[in-house]
């Protein structure tokens, strides 16, 4: 038995837990009116996922929960558990026993569980559909609904048939696939729209990236140029430094040597400075000599004068002595004569100036007197005293003369001594002069050489300074190169400069290049730097990353579109496959049902025939079917829906329409169809709630027979008051409702059942 049990707890009139076990093919539930039998049937619908509260005879979810009665308080939740034996795996789930459970709470919240695990309603529906237990409930015929299938419209009939044929699973799959297809198309549109939005950004970024790429290439070019430039510049500077260093070496050494020589020469010159003391000495000696000379000359003059006086006095003495002896030879002193002459000359001059003769005579008289006085004076003046006086003077003079002569001798000796000293000092000075001249010459020579060397050194220093500037410039350039070209640009040490033949240039060849070429190279670098600056390399990493990200995103989206289109194609083909399968199985199913339907119909009515007919209804308006096409072939342009019509042909009556059948006949036709459907594709169980209510005794028997043959394929749960029907059941359950107002379940015997049913 696939169906094992039904547990009802709090559902409708079942206030407390009640259990129905289905151990035989046919189980009958019997009980008086209003005891809760139909509630038990509804419990099946409920647990199988029925969503229409109305079809469960309620208005809202709360109506499904035991609402309280005289002896029992109301409960807050209703739960129904349906247990299947799944050892045959008729339910596609890996459990030997499957319990479906549905719980409804007073706030209308529903819970669905499979073997105690919460699931979605959809999971339950799909699980059941795969076992032909569809939601249309074709296998649960409620009370008064025996002819439900006959009353349903064509579309509902089709749904019931599809459900019964187990095609619902395909329908689900188809709907699901269509939904997925719709979603996929939406996603394609979304993704394409994203790509459209992204495109201008990518275009913009691509341009930026192209610029960055150009800048990168330019930077690469710059790196190569830099390497060669820096290599050459550094080689040049190194070489120049060495050259200057070398060229500086000899002058420096020579200058040190010269400095030493100069110091020595200066020392010599310094030593010759003593010359001045000698010169001074010479000058003093010469001065002294001059003084000696002057003194000597004075002494000599004095000596001469004294000599003269001596001679004069000696002559005077002689003359006096002679005069003493003779008057006429008497001599007068010249000075006396000069005095007289001078007086006469004065008087004569006066005479020349006067005009009066008297005055002249007076003056002449005076001149006569003067002359007379002179003559008178000199007559007889000389005495021997005078001679004595003269001799006395002479003696004095001779003494003086002797003294002078002594002095002259002494001074002459001094003169000689000075002259000798002067000669000596002069020779000394000459000797010194010779030495200092030599030193001076030497100093001049040294200084001239020093100046020459200073010029050389200064020129080299100039070169050194220029080189230092170039070195500074190189360092600055290195820094700039590092910034613009990274480490690569400044790693010129190992860089090999090659000629156009790819031969590595030697250090000498590198240096032999004209500096103007290097300057041109520098200018070229400057130009590239300017171009790079104009391009502006800021944020290139971010742009590249953004571009890569955007491209990645775009190609991801493109791939996604392809994937989505692919899945859209597969979904479309799946839908087509499902439609084909549905169509095929539907039509094959209809054929099979028609065979069984006619057979059951004939059994019920003792002849005649019945059948299902597929009709196509054209959709004129949205959701509205307006026209039924009876004969259709192939696809039409218009949207249509297929439905089912039922044709019956009564064996004895001219009845063509279902409308013309009696209540019992309608019930029989309905049962025949239901049984036909169930036989073609047997559901695990069928619940028939008083389907036999309208049948007379003869038909009840036929019904009973058909039930028995149907029970070979499906488990039957029959709610009935019919004795005949009860008699076919293996197990009977009685439902009672006491004064408490709650239904109770109990297993009973046939006789009890007959009694209860009555
Ligand atoms: P009949 O033989 O006449 O068809 P039945 O045995 O099928 O009767 P049901 O229709 O199953 O009877 O039961 C109806 C009873 O269930 C009513 O008495 C009704 O009051 C009771 N009932 C329905 N819903 C609830 C509820 N939510 N709480 C309590 N009792 C309820």
């Amino acid at each position: 038995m696939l169906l094992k049990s039904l547990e009802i707890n709090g559902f409708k009139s079942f206030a407390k837990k009640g259990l129905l076990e289905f151990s035989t093919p046919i189980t009958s539930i019997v009980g008086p009116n209003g005891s809760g039998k139909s509630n038990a049937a509804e419990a099946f619908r409920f647990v199988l996922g029925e969503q229409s509260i109305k079809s469960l005879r309620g208005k809202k979810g709360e109506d499904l929960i035991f609402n309280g009665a005289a002896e029992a308080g109301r409960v807050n939740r209703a739960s129904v558990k349906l247990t299947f034996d799944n050892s045959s795996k008729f339910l596609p789930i890996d459990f030997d026993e499957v319990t479906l459970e549905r719980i409804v709470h007073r706030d209308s919240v529903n819970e669905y569980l499979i073997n105690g695990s919460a699931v979605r309603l959809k999971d339950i529906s799909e699980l059941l559909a795969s076992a032909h237990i569809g939601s249309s409930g074709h296998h649960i015929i409620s009370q008064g609904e025996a002819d439900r299938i006959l009353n349903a419209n064509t579309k509902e009939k089709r749904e019931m048939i599809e459900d019964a044929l187990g095609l619902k699973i395909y329908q689900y799959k188809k709907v699901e696939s269509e939904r997925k297809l719709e979603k996929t198309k939406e996603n394609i549109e979304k993704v394409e729209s994203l790509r459209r939005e992204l495109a201008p950004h990518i275009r913009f970024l691509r341009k930026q990236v192209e610029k960055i790429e150009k800048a990168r290439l330019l930077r690469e070019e710059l790196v190569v140029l830099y390497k060669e430039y820096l290599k050459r510049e550094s080689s040049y500077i190194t070489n120049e430094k060495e050259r200057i260093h070398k060229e500086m070496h000899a002058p420096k050494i020579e200058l040190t040597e010269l400095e030493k020589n100069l110091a020595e020469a200066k020392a010599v010159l310094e030593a010759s400075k003593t010359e001045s003391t000698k010169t001074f000495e010479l000058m003093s000696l010469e001065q002294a000599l001059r003084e000696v000379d002057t003194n000597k000359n004075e002494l000599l003059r004095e000596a001469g004068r004294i000599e003269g006086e001596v001679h004069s006095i000696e002559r005077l003495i002689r003359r006096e002595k002679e005069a003493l002896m003779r008057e006429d030879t008497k001599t007068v002193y010249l000075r006396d004569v000069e005095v007289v002459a001078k007086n006469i000359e004065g008087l004569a001059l006066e005479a020349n100036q006067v005009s009066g003769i008297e005055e002249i005579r007076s003056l002449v008289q005076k001149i006569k007197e003067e002359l007379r006085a002179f003559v008178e004076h000199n007559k007889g003046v000389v005495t021997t005293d005078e001679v004595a006086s003269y001799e006395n003077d002479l003696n004095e003079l001779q003494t003086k003369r002797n003294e002078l002569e002594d002095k002259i001798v002494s001074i002459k000796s001094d003169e000689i001594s000075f002259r000798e000293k002067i000669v000596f000092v002069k020779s000394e000075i000459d000797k010194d002069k010779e030495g200092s001249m030599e030193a001076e010459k030497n100093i001049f020579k040294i200084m001239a050489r020093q100046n020459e060397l200073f010029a050389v050194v200064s020129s080299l220093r100039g070169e050194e300074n220029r080189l230092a500037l170039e070195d500074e410039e190189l360092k600055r350039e290195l820094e700039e190169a590092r910034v613009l070209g990274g480490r690569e640009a400044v790693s010129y040490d190992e860089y090999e400069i090659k000629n156009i033949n790819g031969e590595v240039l030697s250090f000498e060849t590198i240096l032999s290049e004209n500096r103007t070429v290097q300057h041109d190279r520098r200018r070229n670098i400057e130009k590239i730097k300017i171009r790079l600056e104009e391009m502006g390399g800021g944020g290139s990493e971010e742009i590249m990353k953004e571009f890569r990200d955007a491209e990645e995103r775009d190609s991801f989206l493109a791939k996604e579109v392809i994937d989505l289109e692919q899945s859209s194609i597969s979904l479309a083909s799946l839908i087509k496959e499902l439609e084909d399968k549905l169509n095929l199985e539907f039509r094959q199913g209809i054929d099979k049902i028609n065979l069984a339907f006619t057979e059951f119909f004939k059994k019920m009515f003792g002849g005649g025939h019945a059948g299902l007919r597929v009709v196509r209804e054209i959709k004129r308006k949205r959701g509205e079917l307006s026209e039924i096409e009876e004969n259709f072939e192939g696809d039409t342009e218009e949207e249509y829906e297929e439905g089912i019509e039922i044709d019956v042909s009564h064996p004895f009556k001219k009845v063509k329409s279902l409308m013309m059948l009696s209540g019992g006949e309608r019930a029989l036709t309905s049962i025949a169809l239901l049984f036909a459907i169930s036989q073609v594709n047997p559901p695990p169980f069928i619940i028939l709630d008083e389907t036999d209510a309208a049948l007379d005794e003869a038909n009840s028997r036929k019904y009973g027979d058909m039930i028995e043959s149907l029970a070979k394929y499906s488990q039957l749960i029959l709610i009935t008051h019919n004795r005949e029907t009860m008699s076919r059941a293996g197990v009977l359950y009685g439902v009672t409702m006491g004064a408490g107002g709650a239904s109770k379940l109990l297993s009973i015997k046939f006789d009890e059942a007959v009694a209860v049913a009555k």
Side-chain angles (χ1 to χ4, degrees):
M1 298 299 115
L2 296 179
L3 188 63
K4 283 185 83 174
S5 63
L6 178 79
E7 186 188 294
I8 316 174
N9 194 357
F11 183 79
K12 287 209 158 183
S13 54
F14 291 89
K16 287 192 185 143
K17 193 165 36 173
L19 184 70
L20 289 166
E21 284 180 324
F22 310 105
S23 51
T24 54
I26 301 172
T27 304
S28 255
I29 299 172
V30 300
N33 290 133
S35 59
K37 304 185 292 299
S38 294
N39 289 344
E42 276 161 3
F44 275 97
R45 279 181 183 281
F46 173 74
V47 73
L48 296 180
E50 177 61 67
Q51 292 302 295
S52 160
I53 304 291
K54 203 175 144 201
S55 76
L56 297 174
R57 295 182 299 160
K59 279 186 184 156
K60 47 188 190 301
E62 231 186 335
D63 296 339
L64 306 180
I65 304 169
F66 181 69
N67 210 14
E71 286 177 7
R74 68 181 212 156
V75 297
N76 287 326
R77 68 202 277 277
S79 92
V80 177
K81 282 185 194 174
L82 188 62
T83 305
F84 293 100
D85 177 356
N86 194 38
S87 47
S88 65
K89 299 289 178 290
F90 81 103
L91 290 171
I93 178 171
D94 201 17
F95 288 101
D96 285 344
E97 190 173 276
V98 176
T99 300
L100 307 180
E101 184 177 6
R102 179 176 175 183
I103 303 163
V104 64
H105 299 269
R106 286 221 172 260
D107 55 6
S108 293
V109 170
N110 281 275
E111 287 177 60
Y112 299 91
L113 298 101
I114 295 178
N115 283 355
S117 302
V119 292
R120 297 166 300 172
L121 169 64
K122 187 172 166 277
D123 302 319
I124 301 253
S125 306
E126 281 183 9
L127 182 68
L128 293 172
S130 57
H132 310 140
I133 314 170
S135 60
S136 69
H138 66 277
H139 54 294
I140 303 172
I141 305 300
S142 305
Q143 191 176 4
E145 283 195 334
D147 57 354
R148 180 160 66 103
I149 193 161
L150 305 186
N151 296 332
N153 64 30
T154 56
K155 187 186 164 203
E156 286 164 348
K157 282 189 199 113
R158 179 190 160 102
E159 278 173 8
M160 285 164 80
I161 302 288
E162 276 177 350
D163 200 0
L165 287 172
L167 302 180
K168 214 66 190 165
I169 189 72
Y170 302 125
Q171 285 285 14
Y172 281 137
K173 280 184 184 162
K174 189 185 154 205
V175 169
E176 181 72 13
S177 302
E178 280 168 346
R179 200 188 51 74
K180 276 189 190 161
L181 182 60
E182 196 54 38
K183 192 87 197 144
T184 308
K185 281 180 180 163
E186 273 171 29
N187 284 342
I188 290 174
E189 187 37 50
K190 265 190 211 160
V191 174
E192 277 176 344
S193 147
L194 280 178
R195 283 194 75 197
R196 278 196 297 277
E197 274 172 32
L198 202 59
H201 187 52
I202 289 180
R203 271 201 300 281
F204 168 76
L205 286 174
R206 182 170 287 118
K207 274 194 192 141
Q208 296 293 102
V209 165
E210 276 166 13
K211 249 182 160 181
I212 290 165
E213 185 57 22
K214 264 190 204 160
R216 192 185 64 74
L217 291 174
L218 209 56
R219 202 165 277 122
E220 272 178 16
E221 193 185 330
L222 184 69
V223 165
V224 175
L225 275 173
Y226 253 135
K227 278 185 174 178
E228 179 162 3
Y229 173 81
L230 293 171
K231 175 88 177 183
R232 283 185 182 275
E233 198 62 8
S234 125
S235 305
Y236 166 75
I237 288 173
T238 313
N239 186 57
E240 280 294 277
K241 274 185 183 167
E242 270 175 28
R243 177 183 67 76
I244 291 170
H245 184 71
K246 270 187 203 155
E247 284 182 17
M248 194 81 100
H249 185 67
K252 270 188 173 172
I253 289 182
E254 196 176 341
L255 273 171
T256 321
E257 191 63 29
L258 286 174
E259 199 59 44
K260 216 172 85 194
N261 293 349
L262 187 65
E264 283 171 11
K266 278 186 177 168
V268 171
L269 199 60
E270 195 60 35
S272 72
K273 271 192 186 159
T274 46
E275 181 202 347
S276 59
T277 43
K278 280 179 185 159
T279 311
F280 186 71
E281 192 186 339
L282 178 63
M283 277 160 66
S284 313
L285 284 171
E286 281 173 344
Q287 179 66 27
L289 182 62
R290 271 194 299 278
E291 279 170 16
V292 167
D293 264 354
T294 313
N295 290 342
K296 187 186 87 181
N297 289 340
E298 236 164 64
L299 287 173
L300 285 172
R301 247 189 332 270
E302 187 68 13
R305 190 185 60 79
I306 288 171
E307 192 65 31
E309 271 187 49
V310 168
H311 284 297
S312 167
I313 288 173
E314 280 174 345
R315 244 186 345 262
L316 275 176
I317 292 170
R318 245 185 347 258
R319 266 188 218 153
E320 278 302 313
K321 279 179 178 174
E322 281 170 7
L324 279 176
M325 287 172 267
R326 288 175 296 120
E327 184 74 25
D328 58 334
T329 57
K330 201 167 186 175
T331 52
V332 289
Y333 290 110
L334 179 60
R335 64 178 181 264
D336 293 341
V337 176
E338 283 170 343
V339 170
V340 172
K342 199 177 171 188
N343 291 339
I344 292 169
E345 274 173 14
L347 290 170
L349 199 63
E350 219 176 307
N352 278 337
Q353 287 168 347
V354 291
S355 53
I357 192 87
E358 280 306 313
E359 284 166 316
I360 296 168
R361 277 181 189 155
S362 163
L363 287 168
V364 170
Q365 190 56 36
K366 277 183 186 174
I367 294 166
K368 278 182 188 171
E369 284 171 11
E370 186 78 24
L371 283 171
R372 206 179 289 131
F374 177 72
V375 171
E376 283 303 316
H377 175 73
N378 282 298
K379 260 188 190 169
V381 172
V382 179
T383 68
T384 50
D385 292 345
E386 279 180 346
V387 174
S389 157
Y390 284 141
E391 281 174 343
N392 199 26
D393 287 346
L394 185 66
N395 280 335
E396 274 178 25
L397 283 172
Q398 278 174 336
T399 310
K400 270 190 183 174
R401 191 181 62 185
N402 289 339
E403 281 172 10
L404 273 172
E405 275 173 357
D406 285 347
K407 278 186 183 173
I408 286 167
V409 168
S410 156
I411 214 161
K412 277 188 176 170
S413 147
D414 283 352
E415 189 190 355
I416 289 163
S417 154
F418 279 129
R419 284 198 192 283
E420 278 172 359
K421 277 185 186 167
I422 284 170
V423 168
F424 175 74
V425 170
K426 270 190 178 169
S427 80
E428 281 289 294
I429 287 172
D430 283 349
K431 250 200 257 166
D432 280 355
K433 257 189 188 160
E434 245 173 59
S436 94
M437 262 170 60
E438 192 60 35
E440 254 170 22
K441 255 202 250 165
N442 220 359
I443 285 171
F444 281 132
K445 227 167 90 186
I446 290 171
M447 282 168 75
R449 181 62 187 151
Q450 268 184 326
N451 285 341
E452 270 175 33
L453 291 173
F454 281 147
V456 170
V457 169
S458 154
S459 153
L460 287 171
R461 290 241 187 275
E463 286 192 55
E464 233 173 18
N465 289 343
R466 174 184 54 79
L467 210 58
L469 288 177
E470 285 181 325
D471 205 12
E472 272 302 306
E473 187 57 25
L474 175 65
K475 281 184 187 127
R476 202 186 56 71
E477 203 61 53
L478 262 169
E479 215 34 64
E480 208 159 324
R482 193 192 308 280
V483 172
L484 288 169
R487 267 224 308 259
E488 176 67 13
V490 293
S491 60
Y492 59 85
D493 267 353
E494 304 298 311
Y495 183 67
E496 292 178 330
I497 303 174
K498 292 176 183 166
N499 62 15
I500 44 167
N501 301 323
E503 295 152 357
V504 176
L505 299 187
S506 68
F507 189 62
E508 288 69 29
T509 318
I510 290 173
L511 292 173
S512 69
E513 187 190 76
N514 193 320
R515 282 289 284 167
T516 53
V517 183
Q518 176 76 337
H519 294 149
D520 288 346
R521 204 169 276 124
R522 170 76 189 266
R523 268 193 290 280
N524 200 12
I525 286 175
E526 289 304 321
K527 274 189 210 158
I528 293 179
K529 279 189 331 198
I530 290 167
R531 277 173 65 195
L532 276 173
E533 209 165 292
E534 282 166 358
M535 284 177 169
S540 58
E541 267 309 304
E542 291 92 87
I543 289 170
M544 291 296 277
K545 188 177 178 309
E546 202 178 335
F547 178 64
R548 276 198 302 274
D549 288 353
E551 271 216 322
E552 260 173 40
R553 173 133 179 81
D554 186 57
S555 53
F556 171 77
L557 291 175
K559 200 176 156 286
E560 200 164 76
V561 169
I562 293 170
D563 289 352
L564 284 168
E565 275 167 353
Q566 199 57 51
S567 85
S568 152
I569 291 167
S570 5
L571 278 168
S573 94
L574 178 66
I575 291 166
K576 179 80 179 63
E577 261 176 45
L578 285 167
E579 275 171 353
D580 291 349
K581 198 173 175 76
L582 262 168
N583 259 334
L584 183 70
E585 292 200 9
F586 180 64
R587 281 165 213 285
Q588 286 175 348
I590 294 285
D591 290 346
K592 284 183 193 162
I593 289 169
N594 278 343
L595 275 176
F597 189 19
T598 300
E599 203 178 305
F600 280 116
F601 189 83
K602 279 180 178 161
K603 256 189 203 163
M604 292 283 191
F605 293 94
H609 64 84
L612 302 177
R613 179 163 46 88
V614 181
V615 294
R616 181 180 281 186
E617 290 183 291
I618 299 168
K619 272 187 181 175
R620 290 291 180 213
K621 281 190 204 155
R622 203 184 142 93
E624 198 179 290
L625 305 172
S626 63
E627 198 176 297
I628 294 180
E629 239 183 46
E630 292 290 342
N631 300 312
F632 54 88
E633 279 208 15
D635 293 332
T636 78
E637 288 287 306
E638 289 156 299
E639 261 197 272
Y640 63 86
E641 235 170 33
E642 282 186 358
I644 296 280
E645 272 299 356
I646 300 168
D647 295 327
V648 288
S649 176
H650 200 280
F652 315 114
K653 302 173 187 174
K654 270 206 161 177
V655 173
K656 290 284 178 212
S657 161
L658 288 172
M659 303 293 287
M660 292 165 74
L661 295 174
S662 73
E665 283 168 342
R666 283 177 67 81
L668 280 176
T669 309
S670 176
I671 289 162
L673 177 55
L674 191 68
F675 285 8
I677 294 170
S678 301
Q679 193 171 303
V680 168
N681 200 9
F685 61 93
I686 299 172
I687 298 162
L688 301 171
D689 188 356
E690 298 187 36
T691 317
D692 51 7
L695 305 182
D696 56 24
E697 217 178 305
N699 280 336
S700 290
R701 249 193 321 278
K702 286 180 192 164
Y703 178 78
D705 292 344
M706 282 195 286
I707 279 171
E708 273 188 24
S709 61
L710 201 61
K712 286 176 195 149
Y713 309 103
S714 302
Q715 259 176 288
L716 300 178
I717 293 120
L718 310 171
I719 296 168
T720 186
H721 293 285
N722 192 311
R723 197 173 184 279
E724 184 59 42
T725 308
M726 284 179 222
S727 67
R728 313 282 176 145
V731 171
L732 288 158
Y733 280 101
V735 183
T736 58
M737 185 178 278
S743 302
K744 276 190 192 120
L745 284 168
L746 54 151
S747 184
I748 50 172
K749 299 227 162 58
F750 177 69
D751 293 339
E752 290 170 326
V754 173
V756 168
K758 277 174 184 166

